[in-house]
Amino acid sequence: MTVTYPVIEGGVLQERSPIVGTPDDASQAAHVLRRVVRQVEDMVGYVAQASGTLGAMRGVSLATLRTRLDGRVVPAARAFTHSVAAGAQAFGTYSSKIEGIHRAARAVVATVESDLHLIIAASRRLEAACAGLEVNSSCVPDAWHEPPSVCPPASSVGAMRGGSELDDPAAAMQRAARRAARAQAETDWVGAAQVWVGALERISAAQRMWRALVEDRRAAECALVNALDHTDLGELIRFSGGAVQSGMFTAVLGGAEQSQDFAEDSSLQKILSGELSEPEVAAAWKSIRESRRYGKGDVRGLPLEVLAVLARTNGVPAWVQDIAGRAVLERALTDPVAGYELVYGIRPRGRFALKEFIQHIEGLNEALINAEGQVGVELPKTTKIQLVNLGVHDGALTAGISLGDLDRASHVGVNYAGMGSSVAGIGNGVDGVAEIFKEAQRGFPGGSYAVVMVIGYRAPSLWGVGSMTRATGAAENIASFLDGIQASRGTRHAPLEQFAVFAHSYGSTAVAEALQHSSLDFKVDNVVTYGSAGFAADTTSEGLRHGIKDTGRLYATQAQKDSLAQVPIKAQEGTDFYLSDRIDPRQIGAVEFSAEGGQWRETNQRS
């Protein structure tokens, strides 16, 4: 039975078609916006002329009018012109991209059509060869995607018997003719089968290209949405009906049939509300995951304002925070003012705030690049680098970089920095946790590991180390991050075998407060302090057990060459200078070990 010609789009090419609508619609939108730009520019010219004319006249009212024209109308018109011009460029770029995608997609369809015709022709050749092979035509597949065997099928008729041509010349001639027919049929079968297989290989490549073009189409739509979202046009859209939604332009410009927008998903809206605890966030994300409607591509396609919230929301998986955080970081690197507004929710107040923000995002980006550069060199090839917890605490930028898959690792460690730390210098901390990661791999190669360097609170300067203010203020933020890691894992992945927290200097002061905070839902296995600036005076080992498992331990160490760490934390007999009235971790039963590689020892008092 000859193969029937299948449906191409929706059949052979099963993904949603990237050929939707026409780029002329977007091109026309760009044309209209450019015309608006010219008209507003003409208006600005007329206003400037009017202002000049008013300048030659006297009168308080006229002077006031001129001031308003020059100080309000003209700047506002120019700002609007800039925004509309950006929108025109966004539509023009979108139109160009869609035109290229349509052209490439049509070439894919033409390739598939050609190869399907080859397959049908090959099936006919195979059917014709069946007669010479003396087999039934059922040997030929009747589905285009089921290739035949390159080896010809064996004849069901008995083998040709030999005989003496002298005895029966006619029979000998008949046998020779049958052999020749079979040889020709075998050649025809092999040739047709090879054509069929080759066509299928090209169709398979075309299917991959088709899926890539669908993703390119989605990416082009997201780029348009993001570009418009930061113009006055985007403001108008938001004012008229909420945030600019990804996918809306496909429906408007191309008439594509859209599924429910991810940004409108009820579970996602609950997460974005900021009213859920970390376990509740994890439960809401679980319902999204179990719906199977949305994947990584859909997360990438969310509006930047939504991604900025997800980047700092603890309880969603680390891969979600990573996608969201990188999108926000990329925006901040290309447009710091817009990035600042995404992260802080307000425009930067003054040059210093913007300059500091730029230093922080550039330092963060450099640390990410350096960490990824170590994969396959200092770190195993399979090591994931994830950006997590990109947000703000007490006006300071927060961020974490995980070496290892935070969603799947069996052993997780989180390191908190001390005084003077900021996101701008996170790279130094990443180098440090890389050593912890590599040591864990060497010492216990059977496990999987993730170690996070996190700047999760506003750290004090040297002069603020003696105060508990920053530590108390950081407690809830730290507790939220620690809870989020454990809550997001849920039951989808293997449970954590070990969860350790490392804290340096004032970081240990803040972590101790977090471990006792009422909002903390999950306990950690072990806490390691090094060069500690001490715990609050009323801290007890029983109080710390709120955040440390009964089977877990508190550890402490300090380097002999750490001059600041040698200063007593609390007044002791024979000391004239001390940091504060806080207590040393070793005074409440911390297990002390040597930072110089010696043996640890347990002590109840600082020696």
Side-chain angles (χ1 to χ4, degrees), residues 98-166:
I98 294 304
E99 185 177 2
I101 290 170
H102 281 197
R103 185 167 53 251
R106 291 190 182 101
V108 169
V109 172
T111 297
V112 172
E113 287 177 343
S114 175
D115 283 318
L116 286 172
H117 283 299
L118 288 176
I119 289 174
I120 292 172
S123 73
R124 290 171 179 162
R125 288 178 59 192
L126 292 174
E127 285 186 348
C130 287
L133 294 171
E134 298 181 342
V135 297
N136 192 287
S137 61
S138 61
C139 296
V140 181
D142 57 6
W144 67 270
H145 53 79
E146 296 178 359
S149 171
V150 177
C151 297
S155 174
S156 59
V157 180
M160 299 178 191
R161 297 173 182 174
S164 172
E165 295 185 7
L166 294 175

Side-chain angles (χ1 to χ4, degrees), residues 354-434:
L354 184 60
K355 181 179 179 181
E356 183 181 58
F357 178 69
I358 292 173
Q359 290 174 342
H360 288 171
I361 60 173
E362 288 180 346
L364 177 59
N365 186 57
E366 182 179 357
L368 275 171
I369 292 172
N370 290 340
E372 288 169 341
Q374 292 302 308
V375 176
V377 182
E378 295 290 331
L379 303 173
K381 292 181 180 180
T382 57
T383 305
K384 281 189 176 182
I385 306 298
Q386 296 173 316
L387 172 60
V388 294
N389 199 41
L390 181 61
V392 177
H393 169 256
D394 193 19
L397 193 68
T398 64
I401 296 178
S402 175
L403 308 185
D405 189 343
L406 203 52
D407 295 317
R408 296 176 179 269
S410 59
H411 296 69
V412 169
V414 179
N415 184 67
Y416 276 92
M419 72 173 191
S421 59
S422 71
V423 171
I426 194 173
N428 294 328
V430 172
D431 292 339
V433 298

